[in-house]
Amino acid sequence: MARKSFPQKALSFLFELLRRPQNQSSPQWKTSNGDHASKLLKYQKYSTSLVHRAEELANQTVVFESEGALLKSSSLFPYFMLVALEAGGPFRALVFFLLYPFVCLFGEELGLKIMVFLCFFGIRKEGFRIGIAVLPKFFLEDVGREGFEVVMSCGRKVGVSNLPTVMVEGFLKDYLGVDDVVGRELKVVCGYFVGIMEAKKSDGTLLNQILGEEKTCSGAIGIVSHRTVLDHHVFASCKEVYLVSEAEKRDWHILPRGKQPKSLIFHDGRLAFRPTQLAILAMIMWIPFGFVLFLIRFTAGRLLAHCMSSPIMAFTGTRTTVLMPKSPPTSTKNENRSNGAVYVCNHRTLLDPLYVELATNKSLSTVTYSLSKFHVAISPIKAIQLTRDREKDRVAMEKLLSQGDLVVCSEGTTCREPYLLRFSPLFAELTDNIIPVAIDVQVTMFYGTTASGFKCLDSAFHFMNPYPTYTLTILDKLPSSQTLKGGGVSKFEVANNVQHKIAEALGFKCTDLTRKDKYMILAGNEGMVQDRKRR
């Protein structure tokens, strides 16, 4: 018999999936020996049952359903939409959006399997990082504070999810510190997901295997949604099982950023909003208008003078706020190293140097590490690419400084969250005429940056936002006593000082993370960064 091709195998899996009978009745709880459990399932609010037992829970193991015990929303649509859009592309996302109302007609378990098939079929397993780079941001924004406090008060934490493991493991382990994750594994053929989940383990020893030397889970506490369709054998061996109702979850509050166990600094993906059904519908309706806005804004900014382009940009919804220093910077002509000033700014989008030029009303040039040839060609200001060879880059920057003022984004890469990455100290070696610039960008629909997508589309996505907002604060020129030449401080101290001044102006936090750290998290590579000594 001829060997089946990849599509034939995938269709066979789907046929087997659909022909299996689906049990939509109420869940039957069984013990590990197969008998129906006689234990009493406690069905109480957290505020009256578990919160006041924090000291007792600190020494116990909790087995919780991640969707039912942590997330405030019960809809899985946003997370699968993100997988479909970011991993599969716009066409797959559109198909999933159109078919989702029909998927809801098949019940929870079969509907889940169909969503998995629609979003994962044909996606390459190698390099799939949506669960690490994109989904954690949206999971964290949906975590209920009440459920989170109960789970975090326990000792060992075992998260159980009805979603594929590749979607939830990064969120639960990396950002919540969950010890073990039990998810649904996906079948892989020839290195590609076929959109079929592996069969659940039906024995009652799964939790005992996870706990290892503890041998038993008789002392564990289970927290699960009352409408769950999970493998209930994981919870059946628990001493107590608490059911969470939808009414309780509606009263939950979203977990504040400051309460999160680990700060989310890096994330990828184009969507800046939670992709609910109505929000995706609004986005689809907006895209034609957004594309027209992009063409108008791009053309005006590229071809017209500032005095003409600024009113057009403002009329089309682009908002720019410029805050000037108390004492305007004056040019210093007696510089030994260069004649120009260096505007050192944090990096939010590729458009940062253009907005600095607009704010200062000067003719500036800029340098960048990752600007594509396309952006270099269309840039309205002079831009050169750095080679990451320190000597060559310093010579190139000194040449630009001899011709005028220079804009430098010393972080080396963009950061979306209110954090500053480590500043490269190269600018401190060039001149003592240093002017820090604090930049903040707010968008409502699309992010104008990406780590793994098409960087040539960054500006297009930024200008497709209804009201993109740029805020620039030009700070006072760095005193001579705080520079390499005048103050006798090291170049690293100068870079750290500028970083802290910008962070203070923006209300951001400083980090020691670098471009390499960002790309290792989001793209699984070093972003073509050469190793360098840490200061």
Side-chain angles (χ1 to χ4, degrees):
M1 180 180 295
R3 180 177 297 180
K4 291 184 178 180
S5 63
F6 171 72
Q8 290 175 325
K9 291 182 179 180
L11 291 175
S12 297
F13 278 126
L14 180 61
F15 177 75
E16 290 296 328
L17 170 68
L18 296 176
R19 66 193 294 264
R20 294 174 186 171
Q22 301 297 322
N23 184 11
Q24 301 296 338
S25 60
S26 301
Q28 298 294 321
W29 296 81
K30 298 181 180 181
T31 59
S32 57
N33 60 10
D35 298 329
H36 288 283
S38 58
K39 67 180 67 175
L40 176 63
L41 300 182
K42 298 182 182 295
Y43 184 62
Q44 304 178 42
K45 292 185 177 181
Y46 288 129
S47 59
T48 58
S49 57
L50 288 176
V51 172
H52 302 296
R53 298 172 54 188
E55 295 183 359
E56 178 185 347
L57 296 177
N59 299 320
Q60 291 188 337
T61 297
V62 62
V63 183
F64 66 95
E65 178 199 355
S66 60
E67 296 88 70
L70 279 180
L71 303 184
K72 179 177 173 64
S73 173
S74 299
S75 175
L76 300 179
F77 174 85
Y79 311 113
F80 282 103
M81 172 55 70
L82 289 167
V83 174
L85 180 62
E86 303 295 347
F91 179 74
R92 184 190 294 263
L94 179 61
V95 171
F96 175 67
F97 174 75
L98 295 176
L99 293 181
Y100 181 74
F102 302 98
V103 172
C104 297
L105 301 176
F106 289 91
E108 291 187 14
E109 177 67 2
L110 182 56
L112 174 65
K113 292 180 178 179
I114 296 175
M115 287 194 293
V116 170
F117 179 80
L118 291 174
C119 297
F120 280 92
F121 176 77
I123 300 297
R124 189 175 182 84
K125 179 183 178 181
E126 183 180 357
F128 180 86
R129 301 186 65 82
I130 306 301
I132 298 175
V134 179
L135 292 177
K137 171 184 180 293
F138 296 91
F139 279 127
L140 286 171
E141 291 176 349
D142 194 33
V143 172
R145 185 184 66 189
E146 288 78 2
F148 169 83
E149 291 175 349
V150 171
V151 171
M152 291 297 110
S153 65
C154 298
R156 185 166 184 175
K157 295 170 279 291
V158 179
V160 182
S161 176
N162 206 34
L163 299 175
T165 305
V166 294
M167 291 179 63
V168 297
E169 187 171 32
F171 158 65
L172 293 175
K173 285 190 173 182
D174 296 342
Y175 292 95
L176 296 187
V178 174
D179 300 288
D180 301 283
V181 176
V182 180
R184 307 284 292 275
E185 300 301 324
L186 295 176
K187 293 182 181 292
V188 178
V189 176
C190 301
Y192 291 85
F193 293 120
V194 295
I196 306 298
M197 292 185 289
E198 299 280 0
K200 303 176 185 177
K201 293 184 178 180
S202 59
D203 57 55
T205 63
L206 179 59
L207 190 56
N208 289 336
Q209 296 174 6
I210 295 174
L211 298 180
E213 296 180 357
E214 296 182 28
K215 302 293 184 183
T216 178
C217 57
S218 58
I221 291 179
I223 307 175
V224 64
S225 171
H226 76 287
R227 57 196 291 266
T228 184
V229 291
L230 289 167
D231 182 358
H232 304 295
H233 295 280
V234 177
F235 296 94
S237 302
C238 296
K239 178 179 64 175
E240 299 174 328
V241 178
Y242 290 81
L243 304 182
V244 184
S245 68
E246 293 298 316
E248 286 178 307
K249 294 174 68 173
R250 282 194 293 269
D251 294 334
W252 286 2
H253 300 84
I254 296 298
L255 181 69
R257 180 189 292 269
K259 296 289 186 178
Q260 296 173 2
K262 179 181 178 181
S263 299
L264 178 73
I265 300 177
F266 300 124
H267 57 87
D268 206 5
R270 290 295 190 185
L271 297 187
F273 61 93
R274 183 173 178 81
T276 61
Q277 299 172 60
L278 289 178
I280 290 296
L281 178 60
M283 182 195 73
I284 294 174
M285 298 173 63
W286 170 258
I287 286 178
F289 300 98
F291 184 72
V292 173
L293 275 182
F294 156 67
L295 293 178
I296 296 174
R297 292 165 174 172
F298 174 80
T299 304
R302 179 66 180 86
L303 301 180
L304 302 180
H306 291 328
C307 59
M308 299 177 63
S309 64
S310 296
I312 296 176
M313 300 288 277
F315 179 76
T316 57
T318 300
R319 301 171 180 175
T320 305
T321 303
V322 180
L323 304 177
M324 300 299 293
K326 298 178 181 178
S327 56
T330 57
S331 59
T332 303
K333 297 183 178 180
N334 296 323
E335 290 282 347
N336 294 329
R337 295 176 180 265
S338 63
N339 295 325
V342 176
Y343 289 88
V344 182
C345 60
N346 59 308
H347 204 4
R348 305 300 279 182
T349 76
L350 292 176
L351 302 172
D352 293 342
L354 303 182
Y355 278 91
V356 174
E357 183 185 53
L358 177 65
T360 59
N361 198 24
K362 294 181 179 180
S363 178
L364 306 177
S365 55
T366 186
V367 294
T368 181
Y369 287 109
S370 58
L371 198 65
S372 66
K373 294 181 179 180
F374 172 76
H375 281 101
V376 171
I378 66 174
S379 175
I381 68 174
K382 186 175 182 180
I384 65 171
Q385 287 183 297
L386 299 180
T387 63
R388 301 198 180 275
D389 184 311
R390 181 171 292 274
E391 291 303 319
K392 291 182 179 180
D393 292 342
R394 184 172 63 178
V395 171
M397 294 173 69
E398 286 179 342
K399 182 178 179 179
L400 290 177
L401 272 173
S402 65
Q403 302 170 0
D405 295 342
L406 178 66
V407 181
V408 177
C409 300
S410 290
E411 289 178 289
T413 188
T414 57
C415 183
R416 299 172 175 178
E417 296 298 315
Y419 298 93
L420 294 185
L421 308 187
R422 193 179 72 185
F423 276 32
S424 169
L426 183 57
F427 71 89
E429 304 175 23
L430 304 176
T431 181
D432 293 337
N433 192 9
I434 301 172
I435 304 172
V437 181
I439 299 177
D440 193 16
V441 177
Q442 299 295 328
V443 295
T444 55
M445 188 168 291
F446 302 111
Y447 285 114
T449 60
T450 183
S452 57
F454 295 102
K455 293 182 179 294
C456 61
L457 299 178
D458 284 357
S459 300
F461 276 103
H462 176 79
F463 282 131
M464 285 177 65
N465 281 286
Y467 299 103
T469 302
Y470 246 92
T471 303
L472 296 91
T473 304
I474 302 178
L475 306 179
D476 292 321
K477 176 185 172 182
L478 212 63
S480 178
S481 60
Q482 298 178 8
T483 62
L484 180 62
K485 178 183 176 182
V489 296
S490 69
K491 59 183 180 182
F492 303 112
E493 291 175 312
V494 175
N496 286 335
N497 184 29
V498 173
Q499 182 195 36
H500 282 82
K501 285 180 177 294
I502 294 177
E504 183 179 359
L506 294 171
F508 289 3
K509 294 182 179 179
C510 295
T511 73
D512 199 37
L513 299 173
T514 65
R515 184 176 189 271
K516 177 181 177 179
D517 298 320
K518 170 184 172 179
Y519 278 85
M520 285 298 297
I521 293 173
L522 299 184
N525 56 60
E526 298 184 1
M528 301 177 64
V529 173
Q530 296 179 356
D531 293 333
R532 60 176 183 265
K533 293 182 179 180
R534 302 179 68 88
R535 63 177 186 266

